[in-house]
Amino acid sequence: MARRPTIKDIARQAGVSESAVSFALNGRPGVSQDTRARVRRVAEELGWQPNSAARALSGERSGAVGLVLARPAHTLGVESFFLQLVSGIQEVLSAARTALLFQVVEDIDAECAIYRRWWAERRVDGVLVVDPRTSDPRPALLEALALPAVTIGEALPPEDRSGGAPAPAAAAHAVRDAAAPAVLSSVLSSVRADDAGAMAQVLEHLHGLGHRRIVHVAGLPYLAHTVRRMESLRTEAARRGLGPDQVRSVPTDYSDTEGAAATRRVLAEPEPPTALVYDNDVMAVAGSAVAAELGIPVPGRLSIVAWDDSALCRVTHPRLTALVRDTAGFGRLAAEELLAVLAGDPPGVRISERPRLEPRESTAPPPAHT
């Protein structure tokens, strides 16, 4: 096995002392510009890279950020959202020569334990936090650890989590987007998507087609974005004079299995919905397959909308109406924000573009007799 080059090797080949190599590679004063350039050229020729463990022990940055997904593993294998998100994150981190430490765990307690271990071992400089929850211990933990973090998605305000009044506002930190609210944290930034506005688009489309019985096959009910979508659905339905007996949400775990099961249940009701809105593409395709199995034509008797557009939505027959958003861009935005904070910027908020509804062949007016 080839031996990794060391500072001693660089010093020998460059004809300088080891301390001069250390000064040159770490950008410290004490060596001339010519020496600094020669040392860096030799280091590149030898393929030298800094030892991240040693740098962490010396108090320097580790050169890595962390991402933990606390979801059942079986729900991740078929969902394209996280793959696209991670690809966007990795694109930015790779350009910055920053590693991504990635782990999947079963629950939020295991995720918090990983944050504590990473902090104690100085494994990461900061973390990207996904799936804000209705009762979420992670912000307080990350604050206590003083571990820089970017939340991907907007947490619910205190009154939505507890039913009480909002917490007193602290001093506002930098906001990258002038239209965004301030972050009330010393270490937490966020990137946010307009889930409520996206749901309003969906309901406007279906209501405009004439649908009055609509079921939202939702994701995990303890996730903040699921709650926000369900609340938006109720609000928009009420604005149009539709009650909870006409428009409602049915939570699932995002899997094709639960999406199909929920579809069977609601289509077996005495007055089944004429339109179904699914919280991801996988459940929408599973629901379309159930409708075909039951002999319910799409969109003749049932319209279907998928929350996330993907190749699945475009190759299914009929092609599925879907919300189109730049998920990889969302990941890039999160990684850029974290790197900015690590470079010294104060925590802030970034807002992604609102998803755009793409009508396709899976939505049409309901049958006249309904």
Side-chain angles (χ1 to χ4, degrees), residues 184-274:
L184 306 180
S185 167
S186 60
V187 298
L188 298 181
S189 291
S190 70
V191 294
R192 302 176 179 178
D194 187 0
D195 287 297
M199 180 59 83
Q201 284 188 71
V202 172
L203 196 63
E204 180 180 10
H205 174 66
L206 294 174
H207 188 268
L209 290 173
H211 293 278
R212 301 297 181 266
R213 297 199 304 274
I214 302 167
V215 169
H216 168 215
V217 182
L220 295 163
Y222 53 78
L223 298 182
H225 65 259
T226 304
V227 173
R228 194 167 283 109
R229 293 174 192 179
M230 293 192 296
E231 290 176 346
S232 177
L233 183 75
R234 288 194 298 268
T235 300
E236 295 299 323
R239 285 183 56 238
R240 293 165 173 82
L242 303 177
D245 58 327
Q246 296 170 286
V247 178
R248 68 187 194 279
S249 298
V250 178
T252 70
D253 68 354
Y254 283 111
S255 71
D256 57 327
T257 302
E258 286 206 13
T263 303
R264 289 182 187 280
R265 288 196 305 272
V266 299
L267 292 181
E269 294 173 352
E271 287 192 313
T274 61

Coordinates of all heavy atoms in Angstrom, one line a residue, residues 184-274:
L184 N -34.6 33.3 14.6 CA -34.4 33.7 16.0 C -33.5 32.7 16.6 O -33.9 31.9 17.5 CB -35.8 33.8 16.7 CG -36.8 34.7 16.0 CD1 -38.1 34.7 16.7 CD2 -36.2 36.1 15.8
S185 N -32.2 32.6 16.2 CA -31.3 31.6 16.7 C -29.9 32.1 16.5 O -29.6 32.9 15.6 CB -31.5 30.3 15.9 OG -30.4 29.4 16.2
S186 N -29.0 31.6 17.4 CA -27.6 32.0 17.2 C -26.8 31.1 16.3 O -25.7 31.4 15.9 CB -26.9 32.0 18.6 OG -27.0 30.7 19.2
V187 N -27.4 29.9 16.0 CA -26.7 28.9 15.2 C -27.5 28.3 14.1 O -27.0 27.7 13.1 CB -26.1 27.7 16.0 CG1 -25.1 28.2 17.1 CG2 -27.2 26.9 16.7
L188 N -28.8 28.5 14.1 CA -29.7 27.9 13.1 C -30.1 28.8 12.0 O -30.7 29.9 12.2 CB -30.9 27.3 13.8 CG -30.7 26.2 14.9 CD1 -32.1 25.8 15.4 CD2 -30.0 25.1 14.3
S189 N -29.8 28.4 10.8 CA -30.4 29.0 9.6 C -31.5 28.1 9.0 O -31.7 27.0 9.6 CB -29.3 29.2 8.5 OG -28.4 30.2 8.8
S190 N -32.2 28.6 8.0 CA -33.2 27.7 7.4 C -33.3 28.1 5.9 O -33.1 29.2 5.5 CB -34.5 27.8 8.1 OG -35.2 29.0 7.8
V191 N -33.7 27.0 5.1 CA -34.2 27.3 3.7 C -35.6 26.7 3.7 O -35.9 25.7 4.3 CB -33.3 26.5 2.7 CG1 -31.9 27.2 2.7 CG2 -33.2 25.1 3.0
R192 N -36.5 27.5 3.0 CA -37.9 27.2 3.1 C -38.6 27.2 1.8 O -38.2 27.8 0.8 CB -38.6 28.3 4.0 CG -37.9 28.4 5.4 CD -38.5 29.5 6.2 NE -37.9 29.6 7.5 CZ -38.2 30.5 8.4 NH1 -39.1 31.4 8.2 NH2 -37.7 30.5 9.6
A193 N -39.6 26.3 1.7 CA -40.5 26.2 0.6 C -41.9 26.6 1.0 O -42.3 26.4 2.1 CB -40.4 24.8 0.0
D194 N -42.6 27.2 0.0 CA -44.0 27.6 0.3 C -45.0 26.5 0.1 O -45.6 26.4 -0.9 CB -44.3 28.8 -0.6 CG -45.7 29.4 -0.3 OD1 -46.3 28.9 0.7 OD2 -46.1 30.4 -1.0
D195 N -45.0 25.6 1.1 CA -45.9 24.4 1.0 C -47.4 24.9 1.0 O -48.2 24.3 0.3 CB -45.7 23.5 2.2 CG -44.4 22.7 2.1 OD1 -44.3 21.9 1.1 OD2 -43.5 22.9 2.9
A196 N -47.7 25.9 1.8 CA -49.1 26.4 1.8 C -49.5 26.9 0.5 O -50.6 26.7 0.0 CB -49.3 27.4 2.9
G197 N -48.7 27.7 -0.1 CA -49.0 28.3 -1.4 C -49.1 27.2 -2.5 O -49.9 27.3 -3.4
A198 N -48.2 26.2 -2.4 CA -48.3 25.1 -3.4 C -49.6 24.4 -3.3 O -50.3 24.0 -4.3 CB -47.1 24.2 -3.2
M199 N -50.1 24.1 -2.0 CA -51.3 23.4 -1.9 C -52.5 24.3 -2.4 O -53.5 23.7 -2.9 CB -51.6 23.1 -0.4 CG -52.9 22.3 -0.1 SD -53.0 20.8 -1.0 CE -52.1 19.7 0.1
A200 N -52.4 25.6 -2.2 CA -53.4 26.5 -2.7 C -53.6 26.4 -4.2 O -54.7 26.4 -4.8 CB -53.1 27.9 -2.3
Q201 N -52.4 26.2 -4.9 CA -52.4 26.0 -6.4 C -53.2 24.8 -6.7 O -54.0 24.7 -7.7 CB -51.0 25.9 -6.9 CG -50.2 27.2 -7.0 CD -48.9 26.9 -7.7 OE1 -48.9 26.7 -8.9 NE2 -47.8 27.0 -7.0
V202 N -52.9 23.7 -6.0 CA -53.5 22.4 -6.3 C -55.0 22.5 -6.2 O -55.8 22.1 -7.0 CB -52.9 21.3 -5.4 CG1 -53.7 20.0 -5.6 CG2 -51.5 21.1 -5.7
L203 N -55.5 23.1 -5.0 CA -56.9 23.1 -4.8 C -57.6 24.1 -5.8 O -58.7 23.8 -6.2 CB -57.2 23.6 -3.3 CG -58.6 23.3 -2.9 CD1 -58.9 21.8 -2.9 CD2 -58.9 23.9 -1.5
E204 N -56.9 25.1 -6.1 CA -57.5 26.0 -7.1 C -57.7 25.3 -8.4 O -58.7 25.5 -9.1 CB -56.6 27.3 -7.3 CG -57.1 28.3 -8.3 CD -56.2 29.4 -8.5 OE1 -55.0 29.4 -8.0 OE2 -56.6 30.4 -9.2
H205 N -56.8 24.5 -8.8 CA -56.9 23.8 -10.1 C -58.0 22.8 -10.1 O -58.8 22.7 -11.0 CB -55.5 23.0 -10.3 CG -55.5 22.1 -11.5 ND1 -55.7 22.6 -12.8 CD2 -55.5 20.8 -11.6 CE1 -55.7 21.5 -13.7 NE2 -55.5 20.4 -12.9
L206 N -58.1 22.0 -9.0 CA -59.1 21.0 -8.9 C -60.5 21.6 -8.7 O -61.5 21.1 -9.4 CB -58.8 20.0 -7.7 CG -57.6 19.2 -7.9 CD1 -57.3 18.4 -6.6 CD2 -57.7 18.2 -9.1
H207 N -60.6 22.6 -7.9 CA -61.9 23.3 -7.7 C -62.4 23.9 -9.0 O -63.5 23.9 -9.4 CB -61.8 24.3 -6.6 CG -63.1 24.9 -6.2 ND1 -63.6 26.1 -6.8 CD2 -64.0 24.6 -5.3 CE1 -64.7 26.4 -6.3 NE2 -65.0 25.5 -5.4
G208 N -61.4 24.5 -9.8 CA -61.7 25.1 -11.0 C -62.3 24.1 -12.0 O -63.1 24.5 -12.9
L209 N -61.8 22.9 -11.9 CA -62.3 21.8 -12.8 C -63.7 21.3 -12.4 O -64.4 20.6 -13.2 CB -61.4 20.6 -12.8 CG -60.0 20.8 -13.5 CD1 -59.1 19.6 -13.3 CD2 -60.2 21.1 -15.0
G210 N -64.1 21.7 -11.2 CA -65.4 21.3 -10.7 C -65.4 20.2 -9.6 O -66.5 19.8 -9.2
H211 N -64.3 19.9 -9.1 CA -64.2 18.8 -8.0 C -64.6 19.4 -6.7 O -64.2 20.5 -6.3 CB -62.8 18.3 -7.9 CG -62.4 17.5 -9.1 ND1 -62.7 16.2 -9.3 CD2 -61.6 17.8 -10.2 CE1 -62.2 15.7 -10.4 NE2 -61.6 16.7 -11.0
R212 N -65.5 18.7 -6.0 CA -66.0 19.1 -4.7 C -65.8 18.0 -3.6 O -66.0 18.3 -2.4 CB -67.5 19.4 -4.8 CG -67.8 20.5 -5.8 CD -67.2 21.9 -5.4 NE -67.6 22.9 -6.3 CZ -66.8 23.3 -7.3 NH1 -65.7 22.7 -7.6 NH2 -67.2 24.3 -8.1
R213 N -65.3 16.9 -4.0 CA -64.9 15.8 -3.0 C -63.4 15.5 -3.3 O -63.1 14.8 -4.3 CB -65.8 14.6 -3.1 CG -67.3 14.9 -2.8 CD -68.0 13.6 -2.5 NE -67.9 12.6 -3.5 CZ -68.8 12.6 -4.6 NH1 -69.7 13.5 -4.7 NH2 -68.6 11.6 -5.5
I214 N -62.6 15.9 -2.4 CA -61.1 15.8 -2.6 C -60.5 15.3 -1.4 O -60.8 15.7 -0.3 CB -60.5 17.2 -2.9 CG1 -61.2 17.8 -4.2 CG2 -59.0 17.1 -3.1 CD1 -60.9 19.3 -4.4
V215 N -59.6 14.3 -1.5 CA -58.9 13.7 -0.4 C -57.4 13.9 -0.7 O -56.9 13.6 -1.8 CB -59.2 12.2 -0.2 CG1 -58.2 11.6 0.8 CG2 -60.6 12.0 0.3
H216 N -56.7 14.4 0.4 CA -55.3 14.6 0.3 C -54.6 13.4 1.0 O -54.8 13.2 2.3 CB -54.9 15.9 1.1 CG -53.5 16.1 1.4 ND1 -53.1 16.7 2.6 CD2 -52.4 15.8 0.7 CE1 -51.8 16.8 2.6 NE2 -51.3 16.2 1.5
V217 N -53.9 12.5 0.3 CA -53.2 11.4 0.9 C -51.9 11.9 1.3 O -50.9 12.1 0.5 CB -53.1 10.3 -0.1 CG1 -52.4 9.1 0.5 CG2 -54.5 9.8 -0.7
A218 N -51.8 12.3 2.6 CA -50.7 13.0 3.2 C -49.5 12.1 3.6 O -49.7 10.9 3.7 CB -51.2 13.9 4.3
G219 N -48.4 12.8 4.0 CA -47.3 12.1 4.5 C -47.4 11.9 6.0 O -48.5 11.9 6.6
L220 N -46.2 11.8 6.7 CA -46.2 11.6 8.1 C -46.8 12.8 8.9 O -46.4 13.9 8.6 CB -44.7 11.4 8.5 CG -44.1 10.1 8.0 CD1 -42.5 10.2 8.1 CD2 -44.6 8.9 8.7
P221 N -47.7 12.5 9.8 CA -48.5 13.6 10.3 C -47.7 14.5 11.3 O -48.2 15.6 11.7 CB -49.7 12.9 11.0 CG -49.2 11.5 11.3 CD -48.2 11.2 10.2
Y222 N -46.6 14.0 11.8 CA -45.8 14.8 12.8 C -44.7 15.7 12.1 O -44.0 16.4 12.8 CB -45.1 13.9 13.8 CG -44.3 12.8 13.2 CD1 -43.0 13.0 12.7 CD2 -44.8 11.5 13.2 CE1 -42.2 12.0 12.2 CE2 -44.0 10.5 12.6 CZ -42.8 10.7 12.1 OH -42.0 9.7 11.6
L223 N -44.7 15.7 10.8 CA -43.8 16.6 10.1 C -44.4 17.9 9.9 O -45.6 18.1 9.5 CB -43.3 16.0 8.8 CG -42.6 14.6 8.8 CD1 -42.2 14.2 7.5 CD2 -41.4 14.7 9.7
A224 N -43.6 19.0 10.0 CA -44.1 20.4 9.9 C -44.7 20.6 8.6 O -45.8 21.3 8.4 CB -43.1 21.4 10.3
H225 N -44.1 20.2 7.5 CA -44.6 20.5 6.2 C -45.9 19.7 5.9 O -46.7 20.2 5.2 CB -43.5 20.2 5.1 CG -43.1 18.8 4.9 ND1 -42.0 18.3 5.4 CD2 -43.8 17.8 4.3 CE1 -41.9 17.0 5.1 NE2 -43.0 16.7 4.4
T226 N -46.1 18.5 6.5 CA -47.3 17.8 6.3 C -48.5 18.6 7.0 O -49.5 18.8 6.4 CB -47.3 16.4 7.0 OG1 -46.2 15.7 6.4 CG2 -48.6 15.7 6.7
V227 N -48.2 19.1 8.2 CA -49.2 19.9 8.9 C -49.5 21.2 8.1 O -50.7 21.5 8.0 CB -48.6 20.3 10.3 CG1 -49.6 21.3 11.0 CG2 -48.4 19.1 11.2
R228 N -48.5 21.8 7.6 CA -48.7 23.0 6.8 C -49.6 22.8 5.6 O -50.5 23.6 5.2 CB -47.4 23.7 6.5 CG -47.5 25.1 6.0 CD -46.2 25.8 6.0 NE -45.7 26.2 7.3 CZ -44.8 25.6 8.0 NH1 -44.1 24.6 7.5 NH2 -44.4 26.0 9.2
R229 N -49.3 21.7 4.9 CA -50.1 21.3 3.7 C -51.6 21.1 4.1 O -52.5 21.5 3.4 CB -49.5 20.1 3.0 CG -48.2 20.4 2.4 CD -47.5 19.1 1.8 NE -46.1 19.4 1.5 CZ -45.3 18.4 1.0 NH1 -45.8 17.2 0.8 NH2 -44.1 18.7 0.7
M230 N -51.8 20.3 5.2 CA -53.1 20.0 5.6 C -53.9 21.2 6.1 O -55.1 21.3 5.7 CB -53.1 18.9 6.8 CG -52.6 17.6 6.3 SD -52.8 16.2 7.5 CE -51.8 16.8 8.9
E231 N -53.2 22.1 6.8 CA -53.9 23.3 7.2 C -54.2 24.2 6.0 O -55.3 24.8 5.9 CB -53.0 24.1 8.1 CG -52.8 23.5 9.5 CD -51.8 24.2 10.4 OE1 -51.1 25.1 9.8 OE2 -51.8 24.0 11.6
S232 N -53.3 24.3 5.0 CA -53.6 25.0 3.8 C -54.8 24.5 3.0 O -55.7 25.2 2.5 CB -52.4 25.1 2.9 OG -52.7 25.8 1.7
L233 N -54.9 23.1 3.0 CA -56.0 22.5 2.3 C -57.3 22.9 3.0 O -58.3 23.2 2.3 CB -55.8 21.0 2.3 CG -56.9 20.1 1.6 CD1 -56.7 20.2 0.1 CD2 -56.9 18.7 2.1
R234 N -57.4 22.8 4.3 CA -58.6 23.2 5.0 C -59.0 24.6 4.8 O -60.1 25.0 4.6 CB -58.4 22.9 6.5 CG -58.4 21.4 6.9 CD -58.6 21.2 8.4 NE -57.5 21.8 9.2 CZ -56.4 21.2 9.5 NH1 -56.2 19.9 9.2 NH2 -55.4 21.7 10.2
T235 N -57.9 25.5 4.9 CA -58.2 26.9 4.7 C -58.7 27.2 3.3 O -59.7 28.0 3.2 CB -56.9 27.7 5.0 OG1 -56.5 27.5 6.3 CG2 -57.2 29.2 4.8
E236 N -58.1 26.7 2.3 CA -58.5 26.9 0.9 C -59.9 26.3 0.6 O -60.7 26.9 -0.1 CB -57.5 26.4 0.0 CG -56.1 27.1 0.0 CD -56.2 28.6 -0.3 OE1 -57.0 28.9 -1.2 OE2 -55.5 29.4 0.3
A237 N -60.2 25.2 1.2 CA -61.5 24.5 1.0 C -62.5 25.4 1.7 O -63.6 25.6 1.1 CB -61.5 23.1 1.6
A238 N -62.3 25.9 2.9 CA -63.3 26.7 3.6 C -63.6 28.0 2.8 O -64.7 28.5 2.8 CB -62.8 27.0 5.0
R239 N -62.5 28.6 2.2 CA -62.7 29.8 1.4 C -63.7 29.6 0.2 O -64.3 30.5 -0.2 CB -61.4 30.3 0.9 CG -60.5 31.0 1.9 CD -59.2 31.5 1.2 NE -59.5 32.4 0.1 CZ -59.1 32.2 -1.1 NH1 -58.4 31.1 -1.5 NH2 -59.4 33.1 -2.1
R240 N -63.7 28.3 -0.2 CA -64.6 28.0 -1.3 C -65.9 27.3 -0.9 O -66.6 26.7 -1.7 CB -63.8 27.1 -2.3 CG -62.7 27.8 -3.0 CD -61.7 26.8 -3.6 NE -60.7 27.5 -4.4 CZ -59.6 28.0 -3.9 NH1 -59.3 28.0 -2.6 NH2 -58.7 28.7 -4.7
G241 N -66.2 27.4 0.4 CA -67.4 26.8 0.9 C -67.5 25.3 1.1 O -68.5 24.7 1.1
L242 N -66.3 24.7 1.1 CA -66.2 23.2 1.2 C -65.9 22.8 2.6 O -64.9 23.3 3.2 CB -65.2 22.6 0.2 CG -65.4 23.0 -1.3 CD1 -64.3 22.4 -2.1 CD2 -66.7 22.5 -1.8
G243 N -66.6 21.9 3.2 CA -66.4 21.5 4.6 C -65.5 20.2 4.7 O -65.1 19.6 3.7
P244 N -65.2 19.8 5.9 CA -64.4 18.7 6.2 C -64.9 17.4 5.7 O -64.2 16.4 5.5 CB -64.2 18.7 7.7 CG -65.3 19.5 8.2 CD -65.6 20.5 7.2
D245 N -66.3 17.3 5.4 CA -66.8 16.1 4.9 C -66.6 16.0 3.4 O -66.8 15.0 2.8 CB -68.3 16.0 5.2 CG -69.1 17.3 4.6 OD1 -68.5 18.4 4.6 OD2 -70.3 17.1 4.2
Q246 N -66.2 17.1 2.8 CA -65.9 17.1 1.3 C -64.4 17.1 1.0 O -64.0 16.5 0.0 CB -66.5 18.4 0.7 CG -68.1 18.4 0.8 CD -68.6 19.8 0.4 OE1 -68.5 20.8 1.2 NE2 -69.2 19.9 -0.8
V247 N -63.6 17.8 1.8 CA -62.2 17.9 1.5 C -61.5 17.6 2.9 O -61.7 18.2 3.9 CB -61.8 19.3 1.1 CG1 -60.3 19.5 0.9 CG2 -62.6 19.7 -0.2
R248 N -60.6 16.6 2.8 CA -59.9 16.2 4.0 C -58.5 15.6 3.7 O -58.2 15.3 2.5 CB -60.7 15.2 4.8 CG -60.9 13.9 4.2 CD -61.9 13.0 5.0 NE -61.9 11.6 4.6 CZ -62.5 11.1 3.5 NH1 -63.2 11.9 2.7 NH2 -62.4 9.8 3.3
S249 N -57.7 15.3 4.7 CA -56.4 14.7 4.6 C -56.4 13.4 5.3 O -57.0 13.2 6.4 CB -55.3 15.6 5.2 OG -55.2 16.8 4.5
V250 N -55.6 12.4 4.7 CA -55.4 11.1 5.3 C -53.9 10.8 5.4 O -53.3 10.7 4.4 CB -56.1 10.0 4.4 CG1 -55.8 8.6 5.0 CG2 -57.6 10.3 4.2
P251 N -53.4 10.9 6.7 CA -51.9 10.7 6.8 C -51.5 9.3 6.5 O -52.2 8.3 6.7 CB -51.7 11.0 8.3 CG -52.9 11.8 8.7 CD -54.0 11.2 7.9
T252 N -50.2 9.1 6.0 CA -49.6 7.9 5.7 C -48.1 8.0 6.1 O -47.7 9.0 6.6 CB -49.7 7.5 4.2 OG1 -48.9 8.4 3.4 CG2 -51.1 7.6 3.7
D253 N -47.3 7.0 5.7 CA -45.9 7.1 5.9 C -45.1 7.4 4.7 O -43.8 7.2 4.6 CB -45.4 5.7 6.6 CG -45.4 4.6 5.6 OD1 -46.0 4.7 4.5 OD2 -45.0 3.5 6.0
Y254 N -45.7 7.8 3.6 CA -45.1 8.2 2.3 C -44.8 6.9 1.4 O -44.4 7.1 0.3 CB -43.8 8.9 2.5 CG -43.9 10.4 2.9 CD1 -43.5 10.8 4.1 CD2 -44.3 11.3 2.0 CE1 -43.5 12.1 4.5 CE2 -44.4 12.6 2.3 CZ -44.0 13.0 3.5 OH -44.1 14.4 3.9
S255 N -45.0 5.7 1.9 CA -44.7 4.6 1.1 C -45.8 4.2 0.1 O -46.9 4.6 0.3 CB -44.5 3.3 2.1 OG -45.7 2.9 2.6
D256 N -45.4 3.5 -0.9 CA -46.4 3.1 -1.9 C -47.4 2.1 -1.3 O -48.6 2.2 -1.7 CB -45.7 2.4 -3.1 CG -44.8 1.2 -2.6 OD1 -44.2 1.2 -1.5 OD2 -44.7 0.2 -3.4
T257 N -47.0 1.3 -0.3 CA -47.9 0.4 0.4 C -49.0 1.1 1.1 O -50.2 0.9 0.9 CB -47.2 -0.5 1.4 OG1 -46.1 -1.2 0.7 CG2 -48.1 -1.5 2.0
E258 N -48.7 2.1 1.9 CA -49.7 2.9 2.6 C -50.5 3.8 1.7 O -51.7 4.0 1.9 CB -49.1 3.7 3.8 CG -48.7 2.8 4.9 CD -48.7 3.6 6.3 OE1 -49.2 4.7 6.3 OE2 -48.2 3.0 7.2
G259 N -49.8 4.3 0.7 CA -50.5 5.1 -0.3 C -51.6 4.3 -1.0 O -52.7 4.8 -1.2
A260 N -51.3 3.1 -1.4 CA -52.3 2.2 -2.1 C -53.4 1.9 -1.1 O -54.6 1.9 -1.5 CB -51.6 1.0 -2.6
A261 N -53.0 1.6 0.2 CA -54.1 1.2 1.1 C -55.0 2.3 1.4 O -56.2 2.1 1.5 CB -53.4 0.7 2.4
A262 N -54.5 3.5 1.5 CA -55.4 4.7 1.8 C -56.3 4.9 0.6 O -57.4 5.3 0.7 CB -54.5 5.9 2.0
T263 N -55.7 4.7 -0.6 CA -56.5 4.9 -1.8 C -57.7 3.9 -1.9 O -58.9 4.3 -2.2 CB -55.7 4.7 -3.1 OG1 -54.6 5.6 -3.1 CG2 -56.5 4.9 -4.4
R264 N -57.4 2.6 -1.5 CA -58.5 1.6 -1.5 C -59.6 2.0 -0.5 O -60.8 1.9 -0.8 CB -57.9 0.3 -1.1 CG -57.1 -0.4 -2.2 CD -56.6 -1.7 -1.7 NE -55.7 -2.3 -2.6 CZ -56.0 -2.9 -3.8 NH1 -57.3 -3.0 -4.1 NH2 -55.1 -3.3 -4.6
R265 N -59.2 2.5 0.7 CA -60.2 2.9 1.7 C -61.1 4.0 1.2 O -62.3 3.9 1.4 CB -59.5 3.3 3.0 CG -58.8 2.1 3.8 CD -58.5 2.5 5.2 NE -57.7 3.7 5.3 CZ -56.3 3.7 5.2 NH1 -55.7 2.5 5.1 NH2 -55.7 4.8 5.4
V266 N -60.5 5.1 0.7 CA -61.4 6.2 0.4 C -62.2 5.9 -0.9 O -63.3 6.5 -1.0 CB -60.5 7.5 0.2 CG1 -59.8 7.8 1.5 CG2 -59.5 7.4 -1.0
L267 N -61.7 5.1 -1.8 CA -62.5 4.8 -3.0 C -63.6 3.8 -2.7 O -64.6 3.7 -3.5 CB -61.6 4.3 -4.1 CG -60.6 5.3 -4.7 CD1 -59.8 4.6 -5.8 CD2 -61.3 6.5 -5.2
A268 N -63.6 3.2 -1.6 CA -64.6 2.2 -1.2 C -65.7 2.9 -0.4 O -66.7 2.3 0.0 CB -64.0 1.1 -0.3
E269 N -65.6 4.2 -0.1 CA -66.6 4.9 0.7 C -67.9 5.1 -0.1 O -67.9 5.1 -1.4 CB -66.1 6.3 1.1 CG -64.9 6.2 2.1 CD -64.2 7.5 2.4 OE1 -64.6 8.5 1.7 OE2 -63.4 7.6 3.3
P270 N -69.0 5.3 0.5 CA -70.3 5.5 -0.2 C -70.3 6.7 -1.2 O -70.8 6.6 -2.3 CB -71.3 5.7 1.0 CG -70.7 5.1 2.1 CD -69.2 5.2 2.0
E271 N -69.6 7.8 -0.8 CA -69.4 8.9 -1.7 C -67.9 9.1 -1.8 O -67.3 9.9 -1.1 CB -70.1 10.1 -1.1 CG -71.6 10.1 -1.2 CD -72.2 11.5 -0.9 OE1 -71.8 12.1 0.1 OE2 -73.1 11.9 -1.7
P272 N -67.3 8.4 -2.7 CA -65.8 8.5 -2.8 C -65.4 9.8 -3.4 O -66.2 10.5 -4.1 CB -65.5 7.3 -3.8 CG -66.7 7.1 -4.6 CD -67.9 7.4 -3.7
P273 N -64.2 10.2 -3.2 CA -63.7 11.4 -3.8 C -63.6 11.4 -5.3 O -63.4 10.3 -5.9 CB -62.3 11.6 -3.1 CG -61.9 10.2 -2.8 CD -63.1 9.5 -2.4
T274 N -63.7 12.5 -5.9 CA -63.5 12.6 -7.4 C -62.0 13.0 -7.7 O -61.7 13.0 -8.9 CB -64.5 13.5 -8.0 OG1 -64.2 14.9 -7.5 CG2 -65.9 13.1 -7.7

